[in-house]
Amino acid sequence: KAGVTQTPRYLIKTRGQQVTLSCSPISGHRSVSWYQQTPGQGLQFLFEYFSETQRNKGNFPGRFSGRQFSNSRSEMNVSTLELGDSALYLCASSLVAGRGAKNIQYFGAGTRLSVL
Amino acid sequence: SQQGEEDPQALSIQEGENATMNCSYKTSINNLQWYRQNSGRGLVHLILIRSNEREKHSGRLRVTLDTSKKSSSLLITASRAADTASYFCATAPSNAGGTSYGKLTFGQGTILTVHP
């Protein structure tokens, strides 16, 4: 079974631009979570989608948004990029994510975004 | 914000030695998980321990959980050079409802270096 696939692997953008990152979960997984990883803040939860609905959201500004399609693939978008948005963005999929579930997450290799 | 702290921040040992990493967290949890990350890539799930368990084993890994102290430890026995990586603990909250969906809260991680 194929793992979680994130594209692109690397991105270089300039301040003020916007960017879209893509994530294809493991087949059969319906929950997709996104995380931002930086040296200073570590791994921080962005949001989670399940059945095309955002069920949970972290403490990030509205410039960060996402969506999920009917095939469970997910995208996240960052508008008006700032230098501080430079980070490794990780997507994770889970078979079941809800009350009482184990919530074991399977991560993609990430997209490294550099904002110049 | 991160759930808690990991200790030590960095650990350097020789092959064959044991490595112990500690993690503290702040809120009530459903379970605690350990993940490994190689050199800025995606995270790999290692082991999960539920809040009503005190110890769990998987191969060379041993995890303990003390919910009264809100702490956990990961022991890697007979370490190998291939174990060189960053190790993160992650907690899944116990509260029902929206804040638990798809969200893992990660510690800052321990960088483990195993010298051949």
Side-chain angles (χ1 to χ4, degrees):
Chain A
K1 192 180 267 192
V4 177
T5 304
Q6 289 189 247
T7 57
R9 289 294 316 281
Y10 303 93
L11 266 178
I12 299 175
K13 293 285 186 179
T14 56
R15 278 181 299 174
Q17 288 187 310
Q18 75 166 15
V19 67
T20 299
L21 313 181
S22 181
C23 172
S24 294
I26 292 172
S27 178
H29 286 194
R30 296 170 63 191
S31 170
V32 174
S33 298
W34 288 88
Y35 295 85
Q36 181 197 64
Q37 186 177 27
T38 60
Q41 297 298 316
L43 279 150
Q44 295 191 87
F45 173 78
L46 281 157
F47 29 63
E48 186 258 3
Y49 286 87
F50 181 83
S51 292
E52 303 178 63
T53 301
Q54 185 184 88
R55 296 195 301 179
N56 201 356
K57 189 177 188 305
N59 295 324
F60 279 82
R63 299 184 297 107
F64 291 81
S65 63
R67 59 178 176 169
Q68 186 180 36
F69 301 94
S70 58
N71 61 357
S72 294
R73 189 176 71 85
S74 178
E75 289 181 347
M76 68 163 281
N77 183 277
V78 188
S79 62
T80 319
L81 284 166
E82 300 176 359
L83 295 179
D85 296 333
S86 294
L88 180 66
Y89 289 88
L90 292 163
C91 162
S93 74
S94 180
L95 183 60
V96 177
R99 183 178 175 178
K102 287 184 177 180
N103 197 15
I104 293 174
Q105 297 188 356
Y106 298 84
F107 285 80
T111 294
R112 185 163 296 281
L113 172 65
S114 297
V115 182
L116 307 178
Chain B
S1 63
Q2 294 300 307
Q3 170 72 287
E5 301 296 322
E6 290 190 55
D7 165 49
Q9 291 187 342
L11 181 60
S12 182
I13 59 175
Q14 297 294 129
E15 257 190 339
E17 295 180 338
N18 295 342
T20 300
M21 290 158 262
N22 303 296
C23 162
S24 64
Y25 58 92
K26 296 177 182 174
T27 61
S28 297
I29 61 171
N30 177 283
N31 64 64
L32 185 143
Q33 304 174 37
W34 286 87
Y35 287 80
R36 183 187 73 218
Q37 184 179 37
N38 287 90
S39 196
R41 296 182 64 86
L43 283 77
V44 175
H45 178 262
L46 295 175
I47 192 166
L48 177 150
I49 185 165
R50 292 187 182 274
S51 60
N52 61 354
E53 296 176 314
R54 292 296 167 258
E55 189 170 310
K56 198 97 174 269
H57 295 256
S58 176
R60 294 184 295 114
L61 304 179
R62 172 179 168 255
V63 171
T64 62
L65 179 65
D66 187 334
T67 52
S68 67
K69 295 181 179 178
K70 290 187 166 57
S71 67
S72 173
S73 68
L74 171 68
L75 168 67
I76 304 175
T77 60
S79 61
R80 306 164 182 168
D83 295 329
T84 295
S86 294
Y87 291 82
F88 295 89
C89 67
T91 53
S94 63
N95 60 306
T99 59
S100 68
Y101 292 134
K103 177 181 179 180
L104 291 176
T105 303
F106 286 86
Q108 293 291 344
T110 293
I111 301 171
L112 173 65
T113 303
V114 182
H115 301 280

